[in-house]
Amino acid sequence: MPPRTGQVRIDVAYTGICGTDLHILHGAMDHRVQLPAVIGHEMSGRIAEVGDDVTGWAPGDPVTVMPLAWCGECPACEAGHNHICHRLNFIGIDSSGSMQQSWTVPADILVRLPEDLPLEQAALIEPTAVAVHDVRRSRLTAGESAVVIGAGPVGLLIGKVAQATGAKVTVLELDPHRRAVAAQLGLPALDPQTTDVAAQIQQRTGGAGADVVFEVSGSAAGVRLATELLAVRGRLVVVAIHPKAREIDLHRVFWRELEIVGVRVYQREDYEAAVRLVHAGDVPADRLISRIVPLEHVADAFAALETGGDVKVLIDCGGNA
């Protein structure tokens, strides 16, 4: 639809499918998604039209979006944490998303892209911003050691963002294909089924343990292992969504003065950092894209992702012509 006051219309170039979209497909988020619905929030495109009272933007500008709309009135917003607003509208889940050719959005959620950044790579800015936020919340610094449990797209991105901070990173992953992808990206990867991971991390850290563990697998085993791997005053960052309560070794938390850090979505500074990392090649977005599928074959794209052989599948929404 044409943009109203304060809105822009975007010709969507690419939309990435994320794990949340698969949850939506299987009905796990029916309480939030009102059918019929257009989903999608990992995107890139160019502005096609600008509504009244929109300044600083023009047709042709390459953009992505930070797909969050908050109320500005709840306790979280008043405390300055509007990205985790009590009434957050996650655009593409709670309202119409980007898996379409033409998308009208508020201008204040736009994020500018460099002109020379390929739009297919720019579609990975959103999940990279997730990784940036997770690493920033972990307070990881150069020279520290980090373990990433789970080498799906977000786990791989966390690994690369952590490396960009100067940290020493080890990835744990059961799936051999994902371990191979991690290795190709320069992320040392171990199979926790065939390796004494705790002994390996002890060896790699001079007996101290990891400074930070990112739990990205969403598994009970991942949670149990995480506390075992941490150094004194280490930080466990809970990235994955755990729909069920998990057992955790609270004695270990007590004994080593561990911290448990929750992370959710991102803030504007995370998006801006993500743009810089992808543009500079510190996050090799092009090597994470497994395939690009036309919009009319979106069902095939979802089916391909569920086989487990792909890292990131993009939908070509037609706005890159």
Side-chain angles (χ1 to χ4, degrees), residues 4 17 29 40 42 69 113-114 157 182 188 204 208 216 218 230 249 276 293 299 301 313:
R4 299 175 183 171
I17 302 175
M29 304 185 76
E42 301 179 0
L113 298 173
L157 287 167
R204 295 180 183 198
V216 199
L230 281 165
D249 186 350
R276 293 193 296 270
V293 178
V313 175

Side-chain angles (χ1 to χ4, degrees), residues 83-97:
H83 68 295
I84 46 176
C85 167
H86 292 186
R87 295 184 284 272
L88 186 69
N89 169 12
F90 194 110
I91 301 166
I93 300 174
D94 303 305
S95 58
S96 183

Side-chain angles (χ1 to χ4, degrees), residues 45-68:
R46 291 186 180 273
I47 294 176
E49 290 183 78
V50 174
D52 293 337
D53 294 337
V54 173
T55 59
W57 298 102
D61 286 346
V63 295
T64 185
V65 303
M66 189 174 81
L68 307 179

Side-chain angles (χ1 to χ4, degrees), residues 125-126 128-129 132 269-279:
I125 295 296
E126 192 272 351
T128 302
V132 170
E269 62 192 286
D270 301 314
Y271 249 82
E272 292 169 352
V275 171
R276 293 193 296 270
L277 287 166
V278 172
H279 188 224

Side-chain angles (χ1 to χ4, degrees), residues 7-273:
Q7 295 182 329
V8 301
R9 184 175 66 81
I10 302 171
D11 286 335
V12 180
Y14 300 100
T15 295
I17 302 175
C18 93
T20 303
D21 298 323
L22 290 174
H23 288 310
I24 292 171
L25 176 68
H26 293 295
M29 304 185 76
D30 284 354
H31 61 292
R32 293 176 61 184
V33 179
Q34 303 297 315
L35 298 178
V38 177
I39 62 173
H41 56 274
E42 301 179 0
M43 63 78 61
S44 63
R46 291 186 180 273
I47 294 176
E49 290 183 78
V50 174
D52 293 337
D53 294 337
V54 173
T55 59
W57 298 102
D61 286 346
V63 295
T64 185
V65 303
M66 189 174 81
L68 307 179
W70 44 79
C71 71
E73 300 173 351
C74 70
C77 288
E78 289 182 346
H81 310 309
N82 44 23
H83 68 295
I84 46 176
C85 167
H86 292 186
R87 295 184 284 272
L88 186 69
N89 169 12
F90 194 110
I91 301 166
I93 300 174
D94 303 305
S95 58
S96 183
S98 64
M99 209 169 286
Q100 54 185 315
Q101 293 179 322
S102 181
W103 191 30
T104 299
V105 300
D108 61 6
I109 71 170
L110 295 176
V111 177
R112 191 177 302 277
L113 298 173
E115 278 287 350
D116 60 343
L117 179 62
L119 289 179
E120 62 270 22
Q121 295 182 34
L124 273 74
I125 295 296
E126 192 272 351
T128 302
V130 170
V132 170
H133 184 74
D134 298 348
V135 173
R136 183 165 65 86
R137 286 273 291 152
S138 78
R139 308 191 308 279
L140 186 68
T141 59
E144 288 193 312
S145 62
V147 174
V148 182
I149 303 177
V154 172
L156 294 171
L157 287 167
I158 288 172
K160 294 308 295 182
V161 173
Q163 276 189 338
T165 71
K168 295 168 285 188
V169 180
T170 302
V171 173
L172 309 181
E173 173 57 52
L174 297 172
D175 182 79
H177 173 70
R178 287 184 169 184
R179 284 199 307 275
V181 173
Q184 290 164 12
L185 295 174
L187 295 167
L190 302 175
D191 180 353
Q193 284 187 319
T194 61
T195 305
D196 185 341
V197 173
Q200 283 287 323
I201 299 304
Q202 288 286 308
Q203 181 181 349
R204 295 180 183 198
T205 59
D211 297 294
V212 177
V213 173
F214 297 92
E215 203 308 287
V216 199
S217 72
S219 68
V223 174
R224 288 194 300 270
L225 180 59
T227 53
E228 185 180 349
L229 302 180
L230 281 165
V232 167
R233 290 200 169 182
R235 288 94 72 192
L236 166 57
V237 182
V238 182
V239 178
I241 297 172
H242 290 264
K244 297 180 180 179
R246 303 295 193 193
E247 289 187 5
I248 188 166
D249 186 350
L250 290 180
H251 183 270
R252 184 81 167 183
V253 174
F254 152 75
W255 196 252
R256 290 208 159 192
E257 290 196 350
L258 304 181
E259 294 181 41
I260 301 174
V261 180
V263 291
R264 182 177 164 208
V265 292
Y266 28 63
Q267 295 167 276
R268 173 67 64 162
E269 62 192 286
D270 301 314
Y271 249 82
E272 292 169 352

